[in-house]
Amino acid sequence: MSKRLLSLALLAGLAAMTGMPAGAADYKEEYKISTVVPAPFPWGIAAEKWAALVGERTDGRIKMKVYPGTQLVSGDQTKEFTAMRRGIIDMSVGSTINWSPQVKELNLFSLPFLMPDYAAIDALTQGPVGEKLFAILREKGVEPLAWAENGFREVSNSKHPIRTPADLKGLKMRVVGSPLFNDTFTALGANPTQMSWADAKPALTTGAVDGQENPLSVFAIAKIHEVGQSNLTLWGYVADPLIFAVNQDVWNNFTPEDQAIVRQAAVDAGAEGVEIARKGLTGGDDSAVTSLEALGVKVVRLSDAERQAFVDATRGVYAEWKEKIGADLVTMAEESIAKR
């Protein structure tokens, strides 16, 4: 006990001499942030902004560095949440899709055609559903701080325009490593193939798969049109919110003052990330779409009736997964969207 008290006294003295908050003397030299993609993707920009803001607001006491490409988990994005929970990763700006294998409730955002617009996304992330999901994450050993956004996921392929579910029949589609995505594309008659983002572009290049689904920002920045993806359909079937989170032990080691700084920096970085992800897609500005058309991409804008055909074709998947995710949570989400 006396050694413990002496140690605390020495730390307090060091903090007083260096200007650090008491208890901060044993912080790590660097905190590693895992992401799937780097800047200039909105996702990577949000993560870099978080690290920069924390560095500025703590005068460099807390140093955070972004490691994109999920390199901290050998490129397997579905292992990111487990690695953070175990302390292999300190922090992450992670996809709700990639974390859903470990947190079933995060499949909510991947329910086909749950969210019809950006207001619906905000109704979930900024309302009681978001609070409930954050509580679930805390129970699993991480501290969630804020939301960002990867965007609505649109579908493309190298064969022909997609206007009806029948147009997907037989197409080999790259999908993320989530059973819900597999079920959705199977219901639409496609042949889904699950693979990581690191493997996706090479597979598109060689023709191992015919198509893929991703936000328009990813399509544009990764230049997916250059690997034969000349047909793009705007259907907004699911969205991909991102979550800023910290390993619970790392979080608990921060002083309350530094916790407040790290959390607010995440909120601010997340807001900027959302703004960037929606640029050219909202407020009457469709430049994100027209810029792709200028590159020769054939863009299909579905009518309400055409989109409804896809909704109808995936209702069985929606109903099945509503029970798997938790009917009460999904109902809460439906009610929040209806009130938006």
Side-chain angles (χ1 to χ4, degrees):
M1 179 64 71
S2 59
K3 288 183 179 180
R4 171 64 175 165
L5 292 173
L6 178 61
S7 177
L8 290 173
L10 289 172
L11 287 174
L14 177 61
M17 289 187 292
T18 61
M20 291 188 299
D26 58 344
Y27 284 6
K28 292 184 178 182
E29 291 184 5
E30 175 188 282
Y31 292 94
K32 295 178 171 61
I33 306 172
S34 177
T35 68
V36 173
V37 293
F41 295 92
W43 190 339
I45 292 174
E48 293 284 0
K49 185 68 173 180
W50 185 26
L53 288 176
V54 170
E56 292 169 7
R57 295 172 184 179
T58 62
D59 295 322
R61 286 186 296 99
I62 299 179
K63 298 178 178 65
M64 294 158 52
K65 182 178 178 180
V66 178
Y67 287 81
T70 47
Q71 57 187 284
L72 300 177
V73 285
S74 303
D76 188 346
Q77 56 214 58
T78 62
K79 293 181 179 178
E80 186 179 65
F81 182 81
T82 298
M84 179 171 50
R85 181 170 56 186
R86 292 177 177 173
I88 298 169
I89 293 172
D90 299 314
M91 306 168 173
S92 176
V93 180
S95 162
T96 53
I97 296 171
N98 294 336
W99 293 1
S100 65
Q102 290 78 43
V103 188
K104 66 174 184 173
E105 292 86 356
L106 292 179
N107 282 292
L108 173 73
F109 298 104
S110 300
L111 277 174
F113 304 101
L114 168 66
M115 296 165 286
D117 50 35
Y118 287 107
I121 301 176
D122 294 339
L124 300 187
T125 60
Q126 307 306 313
V129 170
E131 294 174 2
K132 176 65 175 176
L133 291 172
F134 272 20
I136 291 169
L137 290 172
R138 287 191 187 95
E139 292 171 359
K140 293 184 178 293
V142 306
E143 180 63 27
L145 306 180
W147 296 91
E149 195 169 291
N150 200 20
F152 277 106
R153 301 177 76 90
E154 316 295 4
V155 64
S156 72
N157 79 101
S158 60
K159 300 298 184 182
H160 51 249
I162 296 173
R163 281 195 174 275
T164 70
D167 294 326
L168 274 163
K169 187 174 182 179
L171 288 182
K172 294 175 290 184
M173 301 296 297
R174 177 265 172 176
V175 297
V176 296
S178 162
L180 176 47
F181 282 73
N182 191 73
D183 289 354
T184 298
F185 277 86
T186 298
L188 291 168
N191 294 325
T193 300
Q194 295 180 346
M195 61 179 67
S196 69
W197 173 244
D199 295 331
K201 199 168 182 182
L204 293 167
T205 301
T206 62
V209 292
D210 300 316
Q212 60 87 51
E213 48 77 56
N214 253 309
L216 290 189
S217 62
V218 173
F219 190 99
I221 296 170
K223 299 182 178 180
I224 295 178
H225 67 284
E226 293 184 351
V227 291
Q229 297 297 290
S230 57
N231 300 287
L232 175 66
T233 295
L234 306 180
W235 65 345
Y237 82 122
V238 302
D240 186 13
L242 307 174
I243 299 174
F244 293 74
V246 181
N247 166 271
Q248 198 71 63
D249 290 336
V250 170
W251 181 252
N252 290 337
N253 192 51
F254 288 149
T255 65
E257 295 81 4
D258 283 340
Q259 287 178 348
I261 291 172
V262 173
R263 186 185 300 278
Q264 188 59 51
V267 170
D268 295 342
E272 182 171 325
V274 169
E275 181 179 351
I276 295 171
R278 297 182 185 183
K279 186 177 181 180
L281 294 167
T282 59
D285 177 8
D286 66 347
S287 58
V289 179
T290 56
S291 62
L292 292 176
E293 290 178 311
L295 295 172
V297 179
K298 299 173 191 139
V299 178
V300 172
R301 297 169 174 81
L302 298 176
S303 68
D304 290 345
E306 287 172 329
R307 188 174 186 274
Q308 188 60 44
F310 289 97
V311 174
D312 294 341
T314 55
R315 283 302 85 180
V317 174
Y318 187 106
E320 178 185 351
W321 277 86
K322 180 173 183 176
E323 297 303 317
K324 290 181 178 181
I325 294 166
D328 290 346
L329 178 63
V330 176
T331 297
M332 182 191 297
E334 293 166 343
E335 293 172 348
S336 294
I337 291 171
K339 296 174 183 176
R340 72 190 185 284

